[in-house]
């Protein structure tokens, strides 16, 4: 160990990581996670970088959300920079700031900066935005969205609330994965771990939430290879999902194909696909079509009990609800959400692994009460679910494990003296 020079260590430079929440830009939020230290000397550079990210959000039509939980120091420097930045954003959507440290939070609150919404926690922001969404009134004809495009619509606020709910569910798993990598590989901070995770996610086109979940649940590596002796697996023979030249390496394309085929088989106007997140052992919405915002809000709240989805997952077989209004299987909350959106019949199809465990659920809605799939449709649904299970197993054992193996090799290279996020870029 080198002797101390007696001088305090230089503060870590401030870094801003930007990422779009799953499902965006439709969900409408660009998350800016800040780590490091901000003082008067670095305020100008930080201001320029922040303005660049905000300009990116404005161009994409996204609401900027600034997470300041890991920002050290600051105070007056933060206040001055935010004041300059928000003045330049007049007429743009407000900047949402969450989890700022007490000194920064108090300074921003007292300054009453225009164009800034300040929340102590993500949960608080979620509640307030939900209340705001419930208070939004329709614009008069003379002041339509076309005439006033910067005013958020009722639909925009609903989407923002769903995006924040998704963030609340995902953030703890990301934190667990960051902590796992810091302990396992001796990384100096959470920011370094996040950068390596993000770059591996981009390199292998694996959603970040899927990658961090795998890091959390996979057995720890014990040698140079995380999964020694692993062989390249052939793509399974798919009977329905093989249509249209789909590439099984692209997760979003395949999941959208699952829903497309299910809607076609059932001649259904609306449906969605959920897959089990192993880190939290819960169904997570992956894609949807034709579902009203109020029902998507119900799904985003994550109350799975009293639904056809939960019953199909628990029973391991298809569940039909021919009359939403009277079927005792549904909870009152789920029944209300379905009836409000015009769904009168529901079918949920479980996706079962070769071991018999449920890895996902495909659900369809119909507007007419009394609808039941025919025997031929039920058989086709079972075939589609078997295809989905086979593809999902292959994807997890090939593409996802490739990403984990790459991450492990990157962090155990003999020449590595610290985190090298540049080394894992494609």
């Amino acid at each position: 160990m080198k002797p101390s020079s007696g001088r305090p260590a230089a503060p870590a430079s401030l870094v801003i990581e930007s990422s779009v929440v799953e499902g965006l830009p439709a969900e409408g939020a660009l998350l800016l996670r800040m780590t490091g230290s901000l003082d008067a000397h670095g305020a100008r550079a930080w201001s320029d970088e922040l303005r660049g990210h905000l300009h990116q959000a404005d161009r994409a039509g996204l609401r900027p959300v600034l997470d300041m939980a890991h920002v050290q120091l600051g105070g007056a420097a933060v206040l001055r920079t935010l004041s300059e930045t928000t003045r330049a954003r007049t007429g743009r959507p407000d900047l949402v700031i969450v989890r700022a440290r007490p000194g920064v939070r108090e300074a921003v609150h007292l300054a009453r900066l225009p164009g800034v919404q300040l929340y102590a926690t993500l949960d608080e922001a979620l509640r307030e935005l939900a209340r705001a969404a419930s208070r939004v009134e329709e614009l008069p004809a003379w002041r339509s969205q076309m005439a006033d495009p910067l005013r958020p619509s009722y639909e925009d606020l609903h989407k923002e609330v769903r995006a924040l709910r998704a963030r609340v569910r995902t953030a703890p798993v990301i934190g667990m994965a960051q902590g796992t990598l810091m302990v396992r590989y001796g990384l100096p901070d959470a920011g370094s771990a996040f950068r390596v995770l993000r770059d591996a996610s981009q390199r292998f086109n694996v959603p970040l939430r899927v990658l961090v979940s795998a890091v959390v649940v996979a057995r720890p590596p014990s040698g140079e290879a995380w999964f020694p002796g692993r062989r390249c697996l052939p793509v399974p023979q798919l009977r329905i999902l093989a249509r249209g030249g789909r590439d099984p390496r692209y997760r979003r394309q395949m999941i959208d194909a699952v829903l497309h085929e299910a809607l076609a088989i059932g001649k259904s106007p609306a449906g969605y696909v959920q897959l089990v997140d192993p880190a939290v052992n819960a169904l997570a919405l992956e894609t949807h079509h034709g579902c009203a915002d109020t029902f998507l809000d119900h799904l985003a709240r994550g109350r799975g009990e009293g639904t056809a989805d939960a019953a199909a997952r628990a029973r391991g077989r298809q569940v039909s609800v021919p009359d939403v209004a009277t079927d005792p299987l549904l909870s009152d909350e789920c029944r209300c959400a379905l009836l409000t959106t015009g769904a009168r019949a529901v079918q949920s199809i479980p996706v079962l692994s070769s071991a018999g465990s449920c890895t996902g659920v495909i659900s369809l809605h119909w507007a007419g009460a009394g609808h039941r799939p025919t025997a031929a449709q039920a058989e086709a649904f079972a075939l589609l679910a078997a295809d989905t299970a086979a593809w999902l197993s292959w994807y997890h054992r090939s593409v996802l494990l490739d990403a984990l193996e790459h991450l492990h090799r990157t962090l155990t290279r003999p020449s590595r003296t610290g985190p090298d996020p540049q080394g894992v870029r494609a």
Side-chain angles (χ1 to χ4, degrees):
M1 180 181 296
K2 294 183 179 180
S4 172
S5 63
R7 291 178 298 179
S13 59
L14 194 72
V15 176
I16 302 179
E17 303 284 355
S18 68
S19 60
V20 178
V21 176
E22 287 290 329
L24 297 180
E27 298 292 355
L30 181 69
L31 295 164
L32 306 173
R33 174 178 292 184
M34 298 172 55
T35 56
S37 301
L38 178 63
D39 54 21
H41 299 292
R44 174 58 58 186
W46 177 69
S47 176
D48 293 340
E49 185 178 358
L50 178 60
R51 272 197 289 267
H53 284 292
L54 296 179
H55 180 63
Q56 174 191 354
D58 292 339
R59 283 190 305 172
L62 307 177
R63 175 66 63 88
V65 178
L66 189 59
D67 185 345
M68 301 182 69
H70 301 290
V71 177
Q72 305 289 338
L73 309 178
V78 172
L79 186 61
R80 182 167 54 253
T81 302
L82 286 176
S83 177
E84 295 173 355
T85 303
T86 54
R87 277 203 304 270
R89 285 179 53 77
T90 303
R92 296 290 181 182
D94 288 350
L95 173 63
V96 176
I97 297 178
V98 297
R99 302 201 304 168
R101 290 175 176 266
V104 175
R105 189 164 65 244
E106 183 178 3
V108 174
H109 174 71
L110 293 175
R112 300 186 182 278
L113 297 178
V116 173
Q117 296 183 41
L118 185 68
Y119 301 104
T121 65
L122 283 170
D123 286 337
E124 181 184 347
L126 182 63
R127 289 193 299 270
E128 291 302 317
L129 287 170
R131 292 192 189 103
S134 67
R135 292 195 297 266
V136 172
E137 299 177 356
E138 291 186 3
L139 292 173
W142 57 268
R143 199 160 181 262
S144 68
Q145 285 297 116
M146 291 296 292
D148 189 7
L150 294 178
R151 174 171 175 168
S153 66
Y154 184 74
E155 181 182 1
D156 291 337
L157 289 170
H158 265 300
K159 289 177 179 177
E160 184 169 357
V161 169
R162 286 202 301 276
L164 286 172
R165 285 195 176 112
R167 172 65 174 165
V168 168
R169 290 195 303 272
T170 305
V173 183
I174 293 177
M176 292 168 63
Q178 288 174 301
T180 298
L181 296 185
M182 290 169 64
V183 171
R184 186 176 293 165
Y185 300 105
L187 298 180
D189 51 50
S192 301
F194 181 80
R195 285 190 289 275
V196 175
L197 288 165
R198 178 202 59 194
D199 292 344
S201 166
Q202 293 173 349
R203 181 185 182 96
F204 289 88
N205 200 26
V206 174
L208 182 62
R209 62 179 177 84
V210 175
L211 181 62
V212 298
S213 182
V215 169
V216 169
V217 302
R219 57 176 175 80
S222 58
E224 293 183 1
W226 194 332
F227 306 99
R230 186 169 66 95
R231 292 177 296 176
C232 181
L233 297 175
V235 177
Q237 294 295 318
L238 304 177
R239 290 158 289 185
I240 295 179
L241 293 179
R243 300 169 184 167
R246 295 155 180 156
D247 191 333
R249 295 171 300 173
Y250 291 97
R251 188 175 184 274
R252 169 59 61 188
Q253 181 185 115
M254 293 299 290
I255 294 176
D256 285 344
V258 170
L259 181 56
H260 172 80
E261 296 291 350
L263 292 170
I265 292 169
K267 296 181 173 57
S268 168
Y272 54 95
V273 176
Q274 301 175 94
L275 297 180
V276 174
D277 182 343
V280 294
N281 192 30
L283 290 169
L285 180 64
E286 296 286 348
T287 189
H288 59 85
H289 173 80
C291 298
D293 283 342
T294 50
F295 182 75
L296 294 176
D297 291 340
H298 169 73
L299 283 180
R301 284 193 289 271
R303 298 170 186 171
E305 296 303 318
T307 67
D309 312 330
R313 183 187 180 193
R315 300 174 184 178
R317 65 176 186 272
Q318 297 186 38
V319 171
S320 292
V321 179
D323 189 351
V324 168
T326 61
D327 200 303
L329 171 70
L330 304 178
S331 67
D332 289 341
E333 182 181 4
C334 178
R335 191 189 325 279
C336 181
L338 288 167
L339 292 175
T340 301
T341 60
R344 296 296 184 269
V346 176
Q347 179 84 0
S348 290
I349 306 103
V351 176
L352 303 178
S353 70
S354 58
S357 62
C358 182
T359 57
V361 177
I362 307 164
S363 296
L364 302 176
H365 294 172
W366 291 270
H371 186 281
R372 286 182 183 273
T374 64
Q377 286 175 324
E379 184 178 353
F381 284 145
L383 188 60
L384 175 62
D387 263 15
T388 305
W391 164 76
L392 197 58
S393 173
W394 174 85
Y395 180 87
H396 285 167
R397 293 190 294 160
S398 55
V399 178
L400 187 53
L401 292 192
D402 284 345
L404 292 178
E405 198 70 74
H406 171 82
L407 189 149
H408 178 60
R409 288 197 308 268
T410 299
L411 293 173
T412 55
R413 285 181 302 192
S415 60
R416 188 178 72 86
T417 58
D420 180 16
Q422 297 298 328
V424 297
R425 294 187 184 276

